[in-house]
Amino acid sequence: MLFSAVTLFSSAAAVSAAALPSFHSKRGGSIQITPHVQYSSSIGVLGCKINTNRVAYWPEQVDCNNICVKVSANGRDVHLLKIDHSGGAHDISYDAYNYLVTGQSATENPIAGGGVAATWEDAPMSECADLLDGGKLPFAAVPATGWIYGCAADSWTAKNYAAYNIADMVCTLGVDEPCTLPPLSEGNQPICPHQAGIQTPLADHTVWNIEYPTGKLIAAV
């Protein structure tokens, strides 16, 4: 199942929220949010298998448990996947920013703007279930191997990830097939039906960015 950049999700695609356990130590505070256009993930999450309109790009390093955050502004709120980090700004996906400011998608009523006062708090992963394909955090198997192995065995990520033989985070190369990661005692290379990290062009998995400030859809590269 592929997620479209223009779809706002209201329910879990293939798993109930109750199926996702919560492993988070709640934090929160006040921030200035700014819009982010180009999808990326420093930990190797695949953009074609999540809702890329709901991602947080924040200064803190991504950890293995506190991946879902709730951001509120102007009487509205969104839940975001914190799967990348920034150089200092509290960026969020342009569509999420646009919704918090206007109540509308960036494809419907795009705006230009700077920092907006907001509050944030950690949220249980059950509240981000509808942002994921099948309830699992989907990784590019080869690029993400080191980060996955770095998560403690009892962390949310270690218990709730899926690895695929897709070579890049915007899903232009590879094969959409599941891979397994063996115990470190048996090696650290993903095991996939095809060669792990294969560079075959991958069709029909386009990740769409929403151009700022026009609201036009642009294929991610």
Side-chain angles (χ1 to χ4, degrees):
M1 179 174 131
L2 302 181
F3 281 125
S4 165
V6 297
T7 303
L8 296 182
F9 296 85
S10 61
S11 61
V15 64
S16 69
L20 297 179
S22 169
F23 293 90
H24 73 287
S25 176
K26 194 168 185 176
R27 304 161 298 170
S30 298
I31 54 175
Q32 290 279 320
I33 54 170
T34 42
H36 187 98
V37 175
Q38 296 183 345
Y39 174 71
S40 61
S41 172
S42 58
I43 61 173
V45 174
L46 294 168
C48 55
K49 293 183 178 291
I50 67 165
N51 182 350
T52 56
N53 284 336
R54 296 292 182 265
V55 176
Y57 305 83
W58 289 3
E60 302 83 5
Q61 293 293 322
V62 182
D63 69 52
C64 301
N65 289 309
N66 297 300
I67 293 172
C68 183
V69 293
K70 177 182 177 181
V71 176
S72 303
N74 299 315
R76 291 178 280 271
D77 58 70
V78 292
H79 286 86
L80 308 172
L81 297 170
K82 190 156 69 72
I83 52 175
D84 198 1
H85 62 85
S86 69
H90 284 85
D91 283 358
I92 67 174
S93 299
Y94 178 34
D95 192 74
Y97 172 91
N98 205 91
Y99 172 75
L100 289 175
V101 175
T102 69
Q104 294 178 283
S105 169
T107 62
E108 299 171 351
N109 180 27
I111 62 166
V116 171
T119 60
W120 76 276
E121 62 184 55
D122 283 321
M125 281 304 299
S126 59
E127 296 183 15
C128 283
D130 59 336
L131 306 180
L132 303 172
D133 181 357
K136 301 288 187 180
L137 195 60
F139 288 97
V142 172
T145 297
W147 195 84
I148 296 171
Y149 277 129
C151 290
D154 63 347
S155 67
W156 186 89
T157 295
K159 293 181 176 182
N160 294 278
Y161 77 87
Y164 295 88
N165 198 10
I166 298 176
D168 60 322
M169 272 53 76
V170 293
C171 304
T172 63
L173 298 171
V175 179
D176 188 355
E177 61 186 11
C179 302
T180 58
L181 300 186
L184 277 174
S185 59
E186 300 175 12
N188 62 359
Q189 294 301 308
I191 300 170
C192 312
H194 292 82
Q195 177 186 348
I198 190 169
Q199 300 288 301
T200 302
L202 183 60
D204 302 322
H205 285 63
T206 304
V207 174
W208 297 99
N209 295 321
I210 301 178
E211 187 178 57
Y212 175 90
T214 67
K216 295 179 181 179
L217 294 179
I218 305 293
V221 294

